[in-house]
Amino acid sequence: MKKLLKASDMTKIVFSTLIGVVILFPIYYIIAGSFFSIGEFSTAAPTIIPTSLKLTNYIRALQETMLMRFIINSFIAASVGSVMRMTVAVLCAFPVAFLKFKGKDFLFFLVLGTMMLPSDALIIENYLTISRFGLVNSYFAIISIYLLAPVQMFMLRQSFKTIPHTYRESAVIDGCGEFRFLTLIVLPMARPIVLTLTLQSFVTIWNTYLWPLLVTNDPAMRTVQVGITMLGFAESLDYGPTLAAIALIIIPSISIFVVFRKRIVEGISSGAIVG
Amino acid sequence: MITNDAYKGNSKQHALFSQGKWELGFVQRVKPYLFFIPALALAFLFSYRPFVKTIVNSVGLVNYSGRILEFVGLENYLNLFADRNFQTSLINTFRFTGMFVPINLLFCLICALLVYRKRPLVALNETLFIIPMAVAMTSAAIAFKALFNPTIGVINHILGIQIEWFNDPAWAMVTIVVLSIWMALGLDFLLLVAALRSVPLHLIEAAEIEGATSIQKFMHIQLPLISPTILFVVSTRVRDGMLLSGPVLVMTEGGPYRSTQTLVYQMYIEGFKSGNYSKGSAISVVVFVLTFIMILAMFRFERKGVFYQ
């Protein structure tokens, strides 16, 4: 019996490793390709193993393009944006979880209702709003439509609700105001989820493409996702510097991902709906 | 005297207190609403107002600065549905969703079934399945563009085939489907694996004792119990399919011969390249309606096909 189980485990291991290798291949190719010379790209039989580990492509990617500027732009937008987004979400989730007042459910419903309106289908009007305010090519334009995060507000409310009501009662008796109760008691208690959601927001804003493409036309204001598609190397089939630029972006994100893997997996798994 | 003074003082204090209480009461009553202001302002400014404006624009003639010149009724829609270009976008959007959603679900289910039970190397396999989550769409799209490239790409070479991926209308969409699955895989796999792991083990063991095959176990125990997660995965991905634009913009720009042009891509082109805001808005409204119908259909299906414990 035990041997039989082992055999089924073996086939599973073989299959999943095969699939895993296929899934990993594009990432491998980005890193291997970042070391290819033009010659290695245009040979009749394309290779997948670089012959040398020269950093020429990396130097070209950094010197001939504004890659660093793009990265800095994205970093500013994503960090400022994610903090602002969490602030809005916490401020909205807090009264819903702790306070009693008229119209609470309706107001929260209004905010959550924006989930039904996909932002990609609203880009024309949102662009006109931004351009009317004269905000094209600004950091605020890049983050503007991401400041409202209904899903995160919902998750925050659920987590706030697990904080026992006795905390609030004793805080009220001790004369602790709403805002102090939020910053001194609720936020420290909900720290893990607040951190996870902030990290998630950072990634969301970092990864967006269509919206920043629309609201920036000055190369110096491009985010990394937009800038990377406009490096101009790939037209001549010289993918080396482009892949080097991509490698420079994904190596940090993959490292962070592997380090935080457990937390990310737990965050997602806890959201899974199971009957 | 003393009592009188005391009484006076007391009444004064009382008056002060009640006034303070009233002020406090007012502030207390308004305060909860103050917390809501940023969220409501954003919801109004970047969701509801543009939504209403999009609908209004779709029945009007809009100039370059976004002002409405006159109302034309349903003319924009009539023109839109008569437009061959739009018909192509509509068909392509459904073609993409029809390929992407089922293949993605099947593939993620297979991956989840391979690792949900404890065995050696589970952690490593899992990590390999979810690693695409760390790569942003544009980076992945450029890498896939290089991989599928007919002359320099390694996919043709490794598989020993000669497909002109980006010049052949029949195959260009396949590259976008492959890329989209690669990007969706990590998240959907995690959701499904978490659902499979939460299926009570005693049910599966009981079935095994009864001599059920793996397929029977899956069809009769696991599938019904994870159906809510499947519904979630399918409906979010259908929505993503209806809204597809990013990979198209980066990989194919709608070509060849518009074979990968989708609704949101065409909306982007009409709105920002041709400055035709009325037509762009009409396409947006079609996208809204389609997404909405799809979600409604999912919930109808939920009543029939989804089981909750």
Side-chain angles (χ1 to χ4, degrees):
Chain A
M1 189 66 195
K2 206 166 184 196
K3 217 178 175 189
L4 200 80
L5 267 175
K6 277 247 168 82
S8 78
D9 277 357
M10 264 321 279
T11 45
K12 277 183 185 169
I13 291 172
V14 170
F15 267 111
S16 33
T17 309
L18 272 177
I19 295 175
V21 167
V22 171
I23 290 169
L24 196 64
F25 185 71
I27 294 174
Y28 166 78
Y29 184 75
I30 291 169
I31 292 162
S34 70
F35 295 107
F36 287 171
S37 62
I38 306 183
E40 280 172 284
F41 272 113
S42 44
T43 46
T47 45
I48 53 166
I49 300 159
T51 47
S52 71
L53 291 178
K54 274 190 219 141
L55 293 174
T56 334
N57 289 330
Y58 286 87
I59 295 162
R60 281 187 65 197
L62 288 170
Q63 280 180 348
E64 292 173 30
T65 69
M66 294 167 80
L67 185 68
M68 274 324 280
R69 172 80 209 204
F70 300 151
I71 293 176
I72 292 167
N73 283 342
S74 280
F75 192 79
I76 295 173
S79 32
V80 175
S82 54
V83 170
M84 284 172 74
R85 178 162 141 133
M86 275 327 283
T87 312
V88 174
V90 166
L91 283 179
C92 177
F94 172 72
V96 179
F98 290 106
L99 309 180
K100 268 188 198 149
F101 55 98
K102 251 191 191 157
K104 180 170 90 174
D105 291 340
F106 173 70
L107 289 177
F108 196 47
F109 176 78
L110 259 188
V111 175
L112 291 188
T114 58
M115 266 194 283
M116 295 296 291
L117 306 175
S119 69
D120 278 359
L122 293 170
I123 49 170
I124 294 182
E125 266 307 316
N126 278 333
Y127 172 78
L128 290 172
T129 309
I130 291 293
S131 88
R132 239 174 254 144
F133 288 152
L135 288 170
V136 174
N137 287 322
S138 68
Y139 288 116
F140 181 78
I142 298 170
I143 58 177
S144 56
I145 64 164
Y146 300 102
L147 292 180
L148 191 70
V151 180
Q152 302 203 338
M153 286 173 182
F154 188 75
M155 289 170 81
L156 274 177
R157 185 194 75 150
Q158 299 304 89
S159 129
F160 286 174
K161 275 193 159 174
T162 61
I163 296 174
H165 246 259
T166 45
Y167 281 91
R168 162 124 181 92
E169 279 153 21
S170 41
V172 169
I173 290 165
D174 289 347
C176 173
E178 247 58 284
F179 197 73
R180 281 192 28 206
F181 175 64
L182 169 63
T183 48
L184 295 178
I185 296 167
V186 177
L187 284 183
M189 287 183 84
R191 226 176 87 131
I193 182 140
V194 171
L195 284 181
T196 310
L197 293 179
T198 311
L199 191 76
Q200 227 177 53
S201 296
F202 185 94
V203 175
T204 308
I205 300 176
W206 179 274
N207 283 349
T208 59
Y209 171 67
L210 188 60
W211 177 248
L213 170 73
L214 294 175
V215 293
T216 56
N217 49 40
D218 175 4
M221 276 308 291
R222 293 248 150 85
T223 62
V224 72
Q225 305 304 339
V226 178
I228 199 120
T229 63
M230 299 177 175
L231 293 182
F233 294 114
E235 266 110 63
S236 50
L237 290 189
D238 184 9
Y239 271 100
T242 309
L243 293 180
I246 295 176
L248 284 175
I249 311 167
I250 66 165
I251 289 169
S253 67
I254 290 179
S255 327
I256 293 171
F257 186 81
V258 172
V259 171
F260 285 105
R261 190 183 72 97
K262 266 223 154 114
R263 175 163 251 182
I264 296 168
V265 169
E266 273 163 19
I268 292 167
S269 309
S270 64
I273 321 153
V274 179
Chain B
M1 278 299 273
I2 294 163
T3 42
N4 203 8
D5 263 5
Y7 173 70
K8 256 186 180 170
N10 206 355
S11 80
K12 220 177 184 178
Q13 245 177 13
H14 187 76
L16 263 175
F17 181 70
S18 66
Q19 193 191 355
K21 198 176 162 193
W22 184 82
E23 266 171 19
L24 200 76
F26 179 71
V27 172
Q28 277 313 100
R29 256 182 290 150
V30 172
K31 227 180 195 175
Y33 300 99
L34 297 180
F35 284 99
F36 263 101
I37 289 176
L40 282 177
L42 287 167
F44 172 75
L45 195 59
F46 293 115
S47 273
Y48 291 117
R49 187 179 168 279
F51 177 62
V52 174
K53 282 276 283 180
T54 303
I55 295 175
V56 173
N57 283 350
S58 74
V59 292
L61 192 67
V62 184
N63 73 0
Y64 271 93
S65 58
R67 302 247 176 279
I68 296 175
L69 301 177
E70 58 170 312
F71 284 100
V72 294
L74 292 178
E75 204 182 300
N76 290 330
Y77 288 99
L78 294 178
N79 290 341
L80 192 64
F81 281 96
D83 179 12
R84 284 282 293 277
N85 211 341
F86 171 76
Q87 291 164 7
T88 314
S89 308
L90 198 62
I91 292 167
N92 285 339
T93 304
F94 280 110
R95 206 157 59 95
F96 171 78
T97 313
M99 284 195 271
F100 166 60
V101 178
I103 301 175
N104 177 53
L105 179 67
L106 195 70
F107 190 58
C108 293
L109 262 179
I110 292 172
C111 291
L113 285 169
L114 282 172
V115 300
Y116 82 99
R117 263 187 146 169
K118 272 208 176 94
R119 62 163 171 79
L121 296 178
V122 158
L124 175 76
N125 288 145
E126 243 184 59
T127 312
L128 287 182
F129 293 161
I130 59 178
I131 212 123
M133 285 172 79
V135 181
M137 184 276 293
T138 43
S139 305
I142 296 170
F144 274 75
K145 203 174 166 183
L147 283 169
F148 278 112
N149 188 296
T151 32
I152 66 154
V154 293
I155 286 187
N156 274 351
H157 185 69
I158 289 176
L159 300 178
I161 45 178
Q162 270 310 319
I163 293 174
E164 292 279 318
W165 295 98
F166 296 115
N167 296 322
D168 188 338
W171 287 103
M173 189 62 98
V174 174
T175 65
I176 292 181
V177 172
V178 172
L179 169 68
S180 302
I181 292 175
W182 192 77
M183 290 190 307
L185 175 81
L187 184 66
D188 295 354
F189 158 77
L190 275 183
L191 292 173
L192 291 169
V193 110
L196 278 174
R197 281 182 185 150
S198 70
V199 171
L201 203 63
H202 66 90
L203 288 180
I204 294 173
E205 277 164 357
E208 273 166 2
I209 291 166
E210 301 282 332
T213 63
S214 305
I215 295 169
Q216 282 172 330
K217 259 187 323 190
F218 178 71
M219 291 306 288
H220 298 295
I221 300 170
Q222 290 164 324
L223 192 62
L225 286 174
I226 65 168
S227 57
T229 306
I230 291 182
L231 178 81
F232 178 78
V233 167
V234 169
S235 48
T236 49
R237 292 309 172 192
V238 166
R239 183 174 174 276
D240 289 354
M242 292 290 124
L243 295 169
L244 175 78
S245 67
V248 178
L249 271 157
V250 181
M251 280 224 290
T252 61
E253 291 177 36
Y257 312 109
R258 301 188 195 281
S259 64
T260 56
Q261 174 184 292
T262 57
L263 287 170
V264 176
Y265 179 78
Q266 195 194 356
M267 180 187 85
Y268 163 79
I269 296 295
E270 300 289 354
F272 295 98
K273 299 288 171 203
S274 330
N276 193 342
Y277 291 133
S278 311
K279 195 171 178 184
S281 301
I283 300 177
S284 304
V285 174
V286 172
V287 173
F288 280 127
V289 172
L290 281 180
T291 339
F292 195 67
I293 292 176
M294 289 294 174
I295 291 172
L296 277 188
M298 292 297 157
F299 281 107
R300 271 198 78 87
F301 171 77
E302 183 191 13
R303 276 194 218 134
K304 282 187 200 156
V306 175
F307 303 89
Y308 293 96
Q309 258 182 342

Short mmCIF file of all heavy atoms in Angstrom, two decimals, chain A residues 172-199:
data_model
loop_
_atom_site.label_atom_id
_atom_site.label_comp_id
_atom_site.label_asym_id
_atom_site.label_seq_id
_atom_site.Cartn_x
_atom_site.Cartn_y
_atom_site.Cartn_z
N VAL A 172 -14.46 54.57 25.26
CA VAL A 172 -15.44 55.65 25.38
C VAL A 172 -15.52 56.10 26.82
O VAL A 172 -15.52 57.30 27.12
CB VAL A 172 -16.81 55.18 24.86
CG1 VAL A 172 -17.89 56.19 25.22
CG2 VAL A 172 -16.77 54.96 23.35
N ILE A 173 -15.55 55.16 27.76
CA ILE A 173 -15.65 55.50 29.18
C ILE A 173 -14.44 56.31 29.61
O ILE A 173 -14.54 57.29 30.33
CB ILE A 173 -15.79 54.22 30.03
CG1 ILE A 173 -17.17 53.62 29.78
CG2 ILE A 173 -15.58 54.51 31.51
CD1 ILE A 173 -17.31 52.21 30.26
N ASP A 174 -13.26 55.97 29.10
CA ASP A 174 -12.05 56.72 29.45
C ASP A 174 -11.93 58.03 28.69
O ASP A 174 -10.93 58.72 28.79
CB ASP A 174 -10.81 55.86 29.18
CG ASP A 174 -10.70 54.73 30.19
OD1 ASP A 174 -11.43 54.79 31.19
OD2 ASP A 174 -9.92 53.80 29.96
N GLY A 175 -12.94 58.34 27.89
CA GLY A 175 -12.94 59.62 27.20
C GLY A 175 -12.03 59.67 25.99
O GLY A 175 -11.54 60.72 25.60
N CYS A 176 -11.77 58.51 25.40
CA CYS A 176 -10.92 58.47 24.21
C CYS A 176 -11.76 58.78 22.99
O CYS A 176 -12.81 58.19 22.77
CB CYS A 176 -10.30 57.07 24.11
SG CYS A 176 -9.41 56.78 22.61
N GLY A 177 -11.31 59.75 22.21
CA GLY A 177 -12.08 60.15 21.03
C GLY A 177 -12.02 59.11 19.93
O GLY A 177 -11.22 58.19 19.97
N GLU A 178 -12.91 59.30 18.94
CA GLU A 178 -12.99 58.38 17.81
C GLU A 178 -11.63 58.19 17.13
O GLU A 178 -11.19 57.09 16.88
CB GLU A 178 -13.97 58.98 16.79
CG GLU A 178 -15.25 58.24 16.58
CD GLU A 178 -16.04 58.07 17.85
OE1 GLU A 178 -15.62 57.22 18.64
OE2 GLU A 178 -17.07 58.75 18.04
N PHE A 179 -11.02 59.34 16.83
CA PHE A 179 -9.81 59.30 16.02
C PHE A 179 -8.66 58.65 16.79
O PHE A 179 -7.88 57.87 16.25
CB PHE A 179 -9.42 60.71 15.58
CG PHE A 179 -8.46 60.72 14.44
CD1 PHE A 179 -8.89 60.36 13.16
CD2 PHE A 179 -7.14 61.05 14.64
CE1 PHE A 179 -8.00 60.35 12.11
CE2 PHE A 179 -6.24 61.04 13.59
CZ PHE A 179 -6.68 60.69 12.32
N ARG A 180 -8.60 58.97 18.09
CA ARG A 180 -7.53 58.37 18.90
C ARG A 180 -7.76 56.87 19.08
O ARG A 180 -6.82 56.09 19.09
CB ARG A 180 -7.43 59.07 20.25
CG ARG A 180 -6.69 60.37 20.10
CD ARG A 180 -6.29 61.01 21.41
NE ARG A 180 -6.08 60.13 22.50
CZ ARG A 180 -6.23 60.52 23.77
NH1 ARG A 180 -6.60 61.75 24.04
NH2 ARG A 180 -6.01 59.67 24.75
N PHE A 181 -9.01 56.50 19.21
CA PHE A 181 -9.33 55.08 19.32
C PHE A 181 -8.87 54.34 18.06
O PHE A 181 -8.25 53.27 18.12
CB PHE A 181 -10.85 54.93 19.51
CG PHE A 181 -11.32 53.50 19.51
CD1 PHE A 181 -10.90 52.64 20.52
CD2 PHE A 181 -12.15 53.03 18.52
CE1 PHE A 181 -11.33 51.32 20.53
CE2 PHE A 181 -12.58 51.71 18.52
CZ PHE A 181 -12.16 50.86 19.54
N LEU A 182 -9.10 55.00 16.90
CA LEU A 182 -8.69 54.40 15.63
C LEU A 182 -7.17 54.25 15.55
O LEU A 182 -6.65 53.18 15.24
CB LEU A 182 -9.21 55.25 14.47
CG LEU A 182 -8.66 54.94 13.08
CD1 LEU A 182 -9.07 53.54 12.66
CD2 LEU A 182 -9.19 55.93 12.05
N THR A 183 -6.44 55.34 15.86
CA THR A 183 -4.99 55.29 15.64
C THR A 183 -4.26 54.54 16.74
O THR A 183 -3.23 53.93 16.50
CB THR A 183 -4.40 56.72 15.53
OG1 THR A 183 -4.91 57.50 16.62
CG2 THR A 183 -4.79 57.36 14.23
N LEU A 184 -4.79 54.60 17.99
CA LEU A 184 -4.04 53.99 19.10
C LEU A 184 -4.44 52.55 19.38
O LEU A 184 -3.66 51.78 19.92
CB LEU A 184 -4.21 54.83 20.38
CG LEU A 184 -3.62 56.23 20.32
CD1 LEU A 184 -3.89 56.97 21.62
CD2 LEU A 184 -2.12 56.17 20.05
N ILE A 185 -5.66 52.19 19.04
CA ILE A 185 -6.11 50.84 19.40
C ILE A 185 -6.41 49.98 18.16
O ILE A 185 -5.86 48.91 17.99
CB ILE A 185 -7.33 50.89 20.34
CG1 ILE A 185 -6.89 51.55 21.65
CG2 ILE A 185 -7.87 49.50 20.60
CD1 ILE A 185 -8.00 51.97 22.55
N VAL A 186 -7.24 50.51 17.26
CA VAL A 186 -7.67 49.69 16.13
C VAL A 186 -6.50 49.37 15.19
O VAL A 186 -6.26 48.21 14.86
CB VAL A 186 -8.81 50.38 15.35
CG1 VAL A 186 -9.19 49.56 14.14
CG2 VAL A 186 -10.01 50.59 16.25
N LEU A 187 -5.79 50.42 14.77
CA LEU A 187 -4.73 50.18 13.79
C LEU A 187 -3.64 49.24 14.29
O LEU A 187 -3.25 48.32 13.58
CB LEU A 187 -4.13 51.51 13.30
CG LEU A 187 -5.01 52.26 12.30
CD1 LEU A 187 -4.31 53.52 11.82
CD2 LEU A 187 -5.38 51.38 11.12
N PRO A 188 -3.14 49.44 15.52
CA PRO A 188 -2.13 48.47 16.00
C PRO A 188 -2.67 47.04 16.04
O PRO A 188 -1.96 46.08 15.74
CB PRO A 188 -1.80 48.96 17.41
CG PRO A 188 -2.15 50.40 17.41
CD PRO A 188 -3.31 50.53 16.47
N MET A 189 -3.96 46.90 16.37
CA MET A 189 -4.52 45.55 16.46
C MET A 189 -4.70 44.93 15.08
O MET A 189 -4.63 43.71 14.93
CB MET A 189 -5.85 45.57 17.21
CG MET A 189 -5.68 45.78 18.69
SD MET A 189 -7.24 45.72 19.55
CE MET A 189 -7.43 43.96 19.78
N ALA A 190 -4.97 45.77 14.08
CA ALA A 190 -5.23 45.24 12.74
C ALA A 190 -3.97 45.34 11.87
O ALA A 190 -4.05 45.31 10.65
CB ALA A 190 -6.38 46.01 12.09
N ARG A 191 -2.83 45.48 12.50
CA ARG A 191 -1.59 45.71 11.77
C ARG A 191 -1.31 44.72 10.64
O ARG A 191 -1.01 45.15 9.52
CB ARG A 191 -0.41 45.74 12.73
CG ARG A 191 0.53 46.90 12.48
CD ARG A 191 1.59 46.89 13.52
NE ARG A 191 2.68 46.03 13.07
CZ ARG A 191 3.95 46.40 13.08
NH1 ARG A 191 4.28 47.58 13.53
NH2 ARG A 191 4.88 45.59 12.65
N PRO A 192 -1.42 43.40 10.89
CA PRO A 192 -1.07 42.48 9.80
C PRO A 192 -1.89 42.72 8.53
O PRO A 192 -1.32 42.83 7.45
CB PRO A 192 -1.39 41.10 10.38
CG PRO A 192 -1.40 41.30 11.85
CD PRO A 192 -1.77 42.70 12.12
N ILE A 193 -3.21 42.86 8.69
CA ILE A 193 -4.01 43.02 7.48
C ILE A 193 -3.76 44.38 6.83
O ILE A 193 -3.70 44.48 5.60
CB ILE A 193 -5.53 42.80 7.74
CG1 ILE A 193 -6.30 42.93 6.42
CG2 ILE A 193 -6.11 43.77 8.71
CD1 ILE A 193 -7.38 41.97 6.23
N VAL A 194 -3.54 45.41 7.65
CA VAL A 194 -3.27 46.73 7.08
C VAL A 194 -1.97 46.68 6.26
O VAL A 194 -1.91 47.18 5.14
CB VAL A 194 -3.20 47.82 8.18
CG1 VAL A 194 -2.71 49.13 7.61
CG2 VAL A 194 -4.58 48.02 8.79
N LEU A 195 -0.96 46.01 6.81
CA LEU A 195 0.31 45.90 6.09
C LEU A 195 0.13 45.11 4.79
O LEU A 195 0.62 45.52 3.74
CB LEU A 195 1.37 45.24 6.97
CG LEU A 195 1.97 46.13 8.04
CD1 LEU A 195 3.03 45.37 8.82
CD2 LEU A 195 2.60 47.37 7.41
N THR A 196 -0.57 43.97 4.89
CA THR A 196 -0.78 43.15 3.69
C THR A 196 -1.50 43.95 2.61
O THR A 196 -1.11 43.92 1.44
CB THR A 196 -1.59 41.89 4.03
OG1 THR A 196 -0.99 41.27 5.17
CG2 THR A 196 -1.62 40.92 2.88
N LEU A 197 -2.56 44.66 3.01
CA LEU A 197 -3.33 45.41 2.02
C LEU A 197 -2.52 46.56 1.44
O LEU A 197 -2.66 46.89 0.26
CB LEU A 197 -4.64 45.92 2.62
CG LEU A 197 -5.66 44.85 3.00
CD1 LEU A 197 -6.90 45.49 3.60
CD2 LEU A 197 -6.05 44.01 1.80
N THR A 198 -1.66 47.18 2.26
CA THR A 198 -0.82 48.26 1.73
C THR A 198 0.16 47.70 0.70
O THR A 198 0.34 48.27 -0.38
CB THR A 198 -0.03 48.94 2.87
OG1 THR A 198 -0.93 49.24 3.93
CG2 THR A 198 0.62 50.22 2.40
N LEU A 199 0.73 46.55 1.03
CA LEU A 199 1.66 45.90 0.10
C LEU A 199 0.94 45.58 -1.21
O LEU A 199 1.44 45.84 -2.31
CB LEU A 199 2.20 44.62 0.74
CG LEU A 199 3.36 43.94 0.02
CD1 LEU A 199 4.64 44.72 0.30
CD2 LEU A 199 3.52 42.50 0.48
#
